[in-house]
Amino acid sequence: MSILVVGSVAFDTLKTPFGERKKILGGAATYFSLSASFFTDVRVVGIVGDDFTSEHEAVLTNRGIDTRGIEHASGKTFHWGGEYGDNVNEAETKFTDLNVFENFAPKIPDAYQDSEILFLANIQPELQLDVRRKMPRVALVGGDTMNLWINIKRAELLETLKEVDILLINDTEAKLLTSEHSLVLAARKILTLGPKSLVIKHGEYGATIFFSDGSHPFRAPALPIAEVHDPTGAGDTFAGGFMGYIASQPELTPTVLKRAMFYGGVMGSFTVERFGPERLISLTRDEIEERFRLFRSLTHLD
Ligand code: AMP
């Protein structure tokens, strides 16, 4: 099954304890699509400015990603500045320059209408909802968001959540969205807002999936990594591996969901090894399978 993703295609300016990078390729849709492209066909809807070159776009097309839905507008590409201290799980946003995203009206190429899965990667919730409404025939909708939109676009976000089947967010976002201190209570509340499944990501400690039908939650590990060079994009890369694996399977069974949680963790663990999407660009399917085995051995008792 093919996945259509809408979200930020960006430049990131980053500082971590391992160094700094200025205006490197980033964005939620970029990380998501690179990661998902190891499992299935991916199409992107987004917008970039005239500082976004054909070399930047080639990073996506070289992985077979369909970029016909990326609009080229005059102006500057979305630019995010982030910094990490000793806590690799929390980015401190230094600036968010929406630039061309400010007046973006998503246009979906006709060739994308047969996409079976839609992923609403991080971007203004109204844009997510607009794309959701323009894709009425999709079989499954995944989504993500962040603290900025929970704080300044809560009402719009709540509208979007009604249309999302699987929401993927991190611990802090889950608590912020629900004003709950307990993760379990936060999960219960979110599962009344629309999503049938909720993946809460715990950064370097793994991720847990909760279900609205009362089934037991399931937790997948993260790989203990000695040197996290740049955590940027780990969450979107997780989502790409998770949704990509689901798209590659004939049916959405509980076993598929559990394995998807592992593949999400596997993909995220590669991204943080280097700055930006560098590690995803050089990655191979064999390396992914080798690390999947490592993830199994990390948690299997017998
Ligand atoms: P994460 O997976 O949470 O580390 O996401 C990192 C990516 O999110 C970066 O590459 C940023 O370009 C992108 N990003 C940061 N802030 C926003 C925002 N407000 N809206 C959309 N994308 C963002």
Side-chain angles (χ1 to χ4, degrees):
M1 292 200 277
S2 53
I3 303 186
L4 189 163
V5 56
V6 58
S8 54
V9 178
F11 288 130
D12 290 345
T13 291
L14 310 166
K15 190 171 178 187
T16 84
F18 288 88
E20 296 182 37
R21 297 287 188 281
K22 283 200 166 56
K23 275 194 99 177
I24 59 169
L25 179 64
T30 304
Y31 283 103
F32 179 93
S33 51
L34 285 171
S35 176
S37 71
F38 287 92
F39 302 90
T40 194
D41 291 338
V42 186
R43 294 112 177 235
V44 191
V45 168
I47 189 168
V48 293
D50 30 35
D51 48 358
F52 194 88
T53 64
S54 49
E55 284 81 32
H56 293 120
E57 193 143 339
V59 171
L60 301 175
T61 50
N62 287 345
R63 286 249 8 106
I65 297 162
D66 188 333
T67 58
R68 284 176 292 174
I70 298 184
E71 183 182 336
H72 289 253
S74 64
K76 284 188 181 164
T77 301
F78 176 96
H79 188 188
W80 178 70
E83 193 172 324
Y84 303 83
D86 290 334
N87 180 0
V88 296
N89 300 326
E90 286 298 332
E92 190 193 332
T93 294
K94 290 293 178 188
F95 58 86
T96 300
D97 295 339
L98 288 179
N99 297 331
V100 289
F101 259 113
E102 231 152 336
N103 300 311
F104 179 45
K107 290 176 217 54
I108 316 235
D110 288 343
Y112 286 12
Q113 278 300 334
D114 61 355
S115 311
E116 287 98 345
I117 296 184
L118 173 63
F119 190 75
L120 308 171
N122 187 19
I123 198 61
Q124 293 100 304
E126 321 79 291
L127 293 179
Q128 293 179 313
L129 189 58
D130 183 46
V131 173
R132 168 66 186 103
R133 300 236 158 108
K134 287 175 176 156
M135 294 296 295
R137 295 195 315 240
V138 288
L140 184 72
V141 182
D144 186 9
T145 190
M146 73 180 294
N147 48 8
L148 176 69
W149 309 123
I150 297 172
N151 283 326
I152 70 170
K153 299 264 182 186
R154 178 175 284 266
E156 293 86 345
L157 178 61
L158 290 175
E159 279 309 302
T160 305
L161 287 184
K162 289 181 190 162
E163 311 263 343
V164 171
D165 300 309
I166 307 182
L167 179 69
L168 294 94
I169 51 177
N170 67 32
D171 315 62
T172 326
E173 290 155 357
K175 290 177 181 172
L176 183 67
L177 180 60
T178 56
S179 309
E180 288 288 352
H181 296 291
S182 144
L183 214 53
V184 175
L185 295 183
R188 277 190 203 150
K189 262 195 189 169
I190 293 169
L191 288 167
T192 64
L193 300 176
K196 296 186 251 323
S197 308
L198 168 68
V199 177
I200 299 190
K201 298 168 283 176
H202 317 300
E204 62 178 329
Y205 306 116
T208 311
I209 185 163
F210 296 88
F211 306 98
S212 64
D213 69 0
S215 331
H216 285 298
F218 174 76
R219 177 164 290 179
L223 192 67
I225 290 179
E227 292 192 339
V228 172
H229 282 218
D230 172 19
T232 309
D236 309 306
T237 310
F238 180 102
F242 177 84
M243 298 297 296
Y245 179 73
I246 289 174
S248 73
Q249 298 302 300
E251 243 190 308
L252 185 56
T253 63
T255 309
V256 166
L257 270 178
K258 288 181 183 178
R259 292 179 73 97
M261 292 286 287
F262 269 61
Y263 275 107
V266 163
M267 298 308 288
S269 76
F270 284 115
T271 291
V272 304
E273 288 178 352
R274 306 233 189 106
F275 269 85
E278 210 180 306
R279 186 66 181 91
L280 289 178
I281 295 167
S282 66
L283 195 61
T284 65
R285 190 63 213 228
D286 283 350
E287 288 176 310
I288 294 173
E289 292 312 324
E290 197 184 310
R291 192 158 290 186
F292 186 85
R293 288 192 286 277
L294 200 60
F295 266 69
R296 287 190 85 121
S297 67
L298 200 62
T299 45
H300 274 63
L301 206 51
D302 302 309

